[in-house]
Amino acid sequence: MMAKNCAEFQVVCSRVTLYYNCRIELKWKRALHHCEKCDFRSDSKGWGSKCGAIHFGRCTPVSFPFPQSYSRRKGSQQSGHIPVAKVSPTRPATYAPHSNPQHINLPNSSKDTSKKVTLSQDHIDSTPSNETLVESEKENNKNVISYQTGTSSVQTSVSGGRETEKAKRRENKAQISNNLNNVKVPQFYYPYGKPVINSNRDEHLQKALQEIGKLEDGKAYKQHMKSITKACDLPMYWKALLFHGSGGEKQGYITKDSFTAMWKRVFLPCHDEAARFVKLAAKPDCNYLEEDDFFILIQDIVDSHPGLTFLQEAPEFHSRYINTVIARIFYSVNRSWSGRVTISELRKSSFLQTLCVLEQEDDINQIMDFFSYEHFYVIYCKFWELDKDHDLYISREDLARHNDHAISAKVIDRIFSGSVIKGSSLKEGRMSYPEFVWFLMSEEDKKHPTSIEYWFRCMDLDGDGVISMYEMEYFYDEQMQKMESLGIEKLPFEDCLCQMLDLVRPKVSGKITLADLKNCKMANIFFDTFFNLDKFLDHEQRDPFANARDFDSDVSEPSDWEKYAAEEYEILVAEEGSNDQEEIQYEDDFEPDDEDLIQQELKRVQQSNNAQFLDSNNKEDDIYDFSSNNLGY
């Protein structure tokens, strides 16, 4: 291969194609053959042999301890003694030039990479000389291949390319790790809020302690917490939480020491409003709020807000109002449906801002988010109508009567199966009042994110996170039966399916995900089509461009829930007024007319005359009558 008339070698990463007069040594997993394009034996030594086989690669001396001779085909004019060559085409060869020209770098394609082999005299004589190698190296000027000649052994060495690469990788990893240890990454996660450098916490604490010091014996009772809360620059309705956190519920009052201990526990480690509120209202060693943690706050609002003075006179309704407000808080704030309000959820919600507005607004009905008494009145009246036995639980049959049986029976079964809200009462076939609050708000405002999640859980029968065409058909069958019973022309499911897919435009055709419904601004139409026949017919009769105009308008309009609550409150107030008038008229029916009065007066006169006549007769015979001077003697 290194002779002047040899073909240029190629280093190709491919498979070997061998034809005739070749041998595969399975013991060494080598392809031993003879090459058509190279003269392995130099012509100066006496013969050159070509085998006619086609291969891709380069030929090198065999380093195995068995030089063999192969006989040629019959009729061949070439010599029968052919040296053995080795091809390693499955890995590209890497050559490293050395100062010593008597070492060869071979492709690293075998486990036995470097050996000393004792060959026969024929193989020793077949090796080219050093002078020939030097000349061919100068001519090709590509790679350096040298042979070590000796009387008894040939040594082959393989480059340590892989070892050097591994060593470099180790060095790079060590450098990267050292750099990471030296680099100081700034803190980017603050679970209790990002610290503020110029904070006035110490000044607020001193002002609060001064307010406590002005009181008699340095004891602050519950009625004194308003001024102390203002001195701390906190919303006014935090006062009950401050009093409770300082141990006021146990002792009945707080002191400077108890307030200072609470301040160090809550306000020093917490740096934002949400973290402080959770730390103040939560149980010890808890970073979340549960339903009963809000009871102290809401009860204080009931007792002190000027818009709820009429409710203060009816303590039996306090628990109903408090449970309604807490259910609405978790409906809007607890986006994880875990039953625990975390600090991050409280930051993302508008609850703390609403609590600040509550201090400034005297009309409680103007606070639409959580505290509106009108909304509570509507919810509780709807629940009271369904709860026939008034045990504060409604059954499956009771819920089916909601809105004149407008809700699908299959949906009611899904709600009571516990697949939507995890509640022990639902498994027993009963729905509690807080669960009814979630149901009613989800039913009347299907654009709210929690409402979309609520009804998506109802429709996702197999729980795979996708509403399939089978699930849509399952709920639509009942709607078609209702339309047929009412004599309404029913819409085939195939046409309904095309409309819904065009409405939602899911990313995957035929499968609607929760993200698709949230991105679609008409999720209420989608759910009403499968759940509520009355609302579905209303959507069908409505102007098709009305929804588009609603979304294009920049003016902030009240939500569907606020519209529903306002309409229902007016209806309930009107019904209450009509009932009062009927009671007044019913009492008037028992009052006598003029003729009756005359007859009664005549009877009274006759009775009085008869009584006087009897008295006169009795006086003559009455010996005990001392009205006259006659004593009966």
Side-chain angles (χ1 to χ4, degrees):
M1 186 173 180
M2 297 304 175
K4 294 182 180 180
N5 57 352
C6 68
E8 295 183 359
F9 66 88
Q10 298 178 354
V11 182
V12 183
C13 184
S14 64
R15 297 180 64 86
V16 181
T17 304
L18 302 177
Y19 289 89
Y20 57 87
N21 198 13
C22 64
R23 176 181 177 185
I24 305 297
E25 285 287 346
L26 298 177
K27 179 179 179 182
W28 302 98
K29 297 181 182 180
R30 299 285 187 175
L32 307 177
H33 72 289
H34 311 289
C35 183
E36 169 70 16
K37 296 183 180 180
C38 62
D39 291 331
F40 189 80
R41 174 76 181 238
S42 177
D43 291 339
S44 60
K45 292 292 183 180
W47 60 257
S49 60
K50 301 179 180 180
C51 68
I54 300 174
H55 85 100
F56 301 92
R58 63 188 182 86
C59 294
T60 56
V62 174
S63 60
F64 304 127
F66 46 82
Q68 302 181 22
S69 299
Y70 292 88
S71 61
R72 299 295 294 173
R73 293 178 299 175
K74 292 182 180 181
S76 177
Q77 298 178 358
Q78 296 181 353
S79 173
H81 299 284
I82 304 174
V84 182
K86 178 182 71 172
V87 178
S88 300
T90 57
R91 185 181 292 108
T94 56
Y95 300 98
H98 296 277
S99 59
N100 188 3
Q102 294 184 355
H103 290 82
I104 183 171
N105 293 329
L106 300 178
N108 193 9
S109 62
S110 175
K111 295 181 181 179
D112 301 327
T113 56
S114 178
K115 292 183 180 180
K116 283 188 178 181
V117 184
T118 304
L119 302 177
S120 63
Q121 189 66 30
D122 296 335
H123 194 191
I124 295 171
D125 295 338
S126 66
T127 57
S129 62
N130 290 336
E131 296 177 358
T132 307
L133 291 174
V134 172
E135 291 177 0
S136 63
E137 182 180 358
K138 291 180 181 180
E139 291 177 359
N140 295 327
N141 200 14
K142 292 182 180 180
N143 300 292
V144 177
I145 300 178
S146 60
Y147 299 91
Q148 180 181 1
T149 57
T151 59
S152 60
S153 64
V154 177
Q155 182 178 3
T156 307
S157 63
V158 181
S159 64
R162 283 188 173 181
E163 296 179 357
T164 56
E165 290 179 0
K166 290 181 179 179
K168 289 180 180 180
R169 290 176 183 175
R170 294 193 193 97
E171 293 178 358
N172 293 333
K173 289 182 180 179
Q175 291 179 358
I176 292 171
S177 62
N178 293 331
N179 294 332
L180 291 177
N181 293 330
N182 295 329
V183 173
K184 294 183 179 180
V185 179
Q187 184 178 355
F188 56 88
Y189 175 64
Y190 299 94
Y192 296 105
K194 190 173 183 180
V196 181
I197 298 175
N198 297 325
S199 179
N200 298 325
R201 288 177 296 181
D202 296 337
E203 296 180 3
H204 296 157
L205 176 61
Q206 294 301 325
K207 291 180 180 179
L209 295 178
Q210 290 177 3
E211 292 291 333
I212 297 174
K214 295 177 183 178
L215 301 174
E216 184 179 359
D217 298 332
K219 297 179 181 180
Y221 294 90
K222 198 169 186 179
Q223 61 269 21
H224 301 139
M225 292 305 299
K226 183 176 181 179
S227 59
I228 297 174
T229 306
K230 286 298 180 182
C232 297
D233 195 18
L234 294 173
M236 185 183 67
Y237 288 104
W238 285 41
K239 61 182 186 298
L241 299 178
L242 292 175
F243 186 77
H244 177 75
S246 301
E249 295 291 338
K250 297 179 181 179
Q251 299 179 358
Y253 59 88
I254 64 173
T255 60
K256 290 184 179 180
D257 295 336
S258 61
F259 189 84
T260 304
M262 180 275 301
W263 189 272
K264 292 180 180 179
R265 179 177 57 87
V266 174
F267 289 86
L268 290 183
C270 302
H271 304 284
D272 66 343
E273 195 175 20
R276 293 171 182 172
F277 184 87
V278 172
K279 193 74 173 178
L280 193 60
K283 300 177 181 65
D285 300 330
C286 289
N287 295 328
Y288 53 83
L289 295 174
E290 296 180 341
E291 293 182 357
D292 55 347
D293 295 330
F294 287 91
F295 189 86
I296 297 174
L297 175 69
I298 310 302
Q299 183 64 54
D300 181 65
I301 294 174
V302 172
D303 295 336
S304 59
H305 195 276
L308 294 173
T309 53
F310 60 92
L311 186 61
Q312 298 170 8
E313 300 173 357
E316 63 274 10
F317 288 98
H318 287 188
S319 60
R320 309 287 189 269
Y321 177 79
I322 292 172
N323 290 331
T324 305
V325 173
I326 292 174
R328 295 190 63 183
I329 290 172
F330 274 80
Y331 183 84
S332 300
V333 179
N334 187 211
R335 305 296 303 120
S336 61
W337 292 61
S338 62
R340 298 174 176 179
V341 175
T342 61
I343 298 175
S344 60
E345 289 177 342
L346 196 62
R347 287 195 188 105
K348 297 175 183 178
S349 68
S350 62
F351 175 73
L352 296 177
Q353 291 79 4
T354 305
L355 204 61
C356 295
V357 175
L358 194 65
E359 177 184 354
Q360 303 171 1
E361 183 62 52
D362 293 339
D363 188 2
I364 196 68
N365 294 320
Q366 298 298 323
I367 311 299
M368 298 292 182
D369 291 338
F370 310 103
F371 302 98
S372 175
Y373 183 82
E374 293 181 357
H375 293 184
F376 156 71
Y377 187 78
V378 171
I379 295 172
Y380 189 72
C381 288
K382 290 295 180 182
F383 182 81
W384 190 258
E385 291 175 0
L386 299 178
D387 186 15
K388 291 297 184 181
D389 53 1
H390 303 310
D391 60 347
L392 296 180
Y393 287 97
I394 57 177
S395 62
R396 187 172 304 177
E397 293 75 15
D398 295 336
L399 187 63
R401 292 187 291 102
H402 174 70
N403 201 10
D404 295 333
H405 300 271
I407 306 299
S408 171
K410 293 181 179 179
V411 175
I412 294 176
D413 293 339
R414 285 287 293 170
I415 293 173
F416 278 88
S417 66
S419 60
V420 181
I421 300 177
K422 296 179 180 179
S424 58
S425 61
L426 289 174
K427 295 180 180 179
E428 298 174 357
R430 301 188 305 170
M431 175 180 285
S432 63
Y433 177 69
E435 293 166 351
F436 178 78
V437 175
W438 280 57
F439 165 77
L440 186 61
M441 296 186 67
S442 300
E443 166 61 21
E444 300 303 332
D445 188 3
K446 293 185 175 68
K447 298 178 183 178
H448 194 279
T450 305
S451 177
I452 296 175
E453 295 171 4
Y454 188 96
W455 297 118
F456 183 86
R457 292 187 177 194
C458 287
M459 290 195 68
D460 189 11
L461 297 176
D462 52 3
D464 60 348
V466 173
I467 298 177
S468 62
M469 290 184 288
Y470 163 75
E471 292 165 339
M472 287 186 277
E473 186 179 8
Y474 173 78
F475 288 101
Y476 190 71
D477 286 341
E478 186 174 355
Q479 302 292 80
M480 293 179 65
Q481 294 175 4
K482 285 185 177 181
M483 286 187 284
E484 187 175 0
S485 62
L486 294 175
I488 302 173
E489 183 180 359
K490 58 183 180 180
L491 181 68
F493 174 71
E494 291 77 9
D495 299 339
C496 176
L497 179 63
C498 294
Q499 291 182 5
M500 294 300 104
L501 293 178
D502 293 339
L503 181 74
V504 179
R505 295 181 181 179
K507 292 183 179 179
V508 179
S509 61
K511 296 181 179 180
I512 298 176
T513 62
L514 181 61
D516 295 332
L517 290 173
K518 287 186 176 181
N519 294 330
C520 171
K521 297 181 180 180
M522 290 181 285
N524 57 333
I525 301 176
F526 176 83
F527 289 124
D528 288 335
T529 303
F530 301 100
F531 296 159
N532 196 317
L533 182 61
D534 295 340
K535 292 184 178 180
F536 168 68
L537 297 176
D538 292 339
H539 292 309
E540 290 292 324
Q541 297 174 1
R542 191 183 179 189
D543 183 8
F545 299 100
N547 293 323
R549 288 196 297 269
D550 293 341
F551 295 123
D552 293 339
S553 61
D554 297 332
V555 181
S556 60
E557 295 184 357
S559 63
D560 292 345
W561 164 251
E562 294 174 0
K563 295 178 182 177
Y564 169 79
E567 294 175 359
E568 289 296 325
Y569 183 76
E570 292 179 359
I571 294 172
L572 292 173
V573 170
E575 291 178 354
E576 190 71 22
S578 63
N579 292 334
D580 294 340
Q581 292 179 0
E582 289 178 359
E583 291 178 0
I584 295 173
Q585 292 177 0
Y586 185 72
E587 293 176 356
D588 291 341
D589 290 339
F590 290 94
E591 295 181 359
D593 298 334
D594 294 339
E595 295 180 357
D596 296 336
L597 290 174
I598 294 171
Q599 294 296 331
Q600 291 177 4
E601 186 66 20
L602 291 174
K603 289 180 181 179
R604 187 180 62 80
V605 171
Q606 292 177 359
Q607 290 176 359
S608 63
N609 294 332
N610 294 331
Q612 290 177 0
F613 177 77
L614 291 173
D615 290 341
S616 62
N617 293 331
N618 293 331
K619 284 181 182 179
E620 295 177 356
D621 299 333
D622 191 3
I623 60 175
Y624 297 102
D625 186 10
F626 300 100
S627 61
S628 63
N629 294 327
N630 188 6
L631 297 178
Y633 295 112

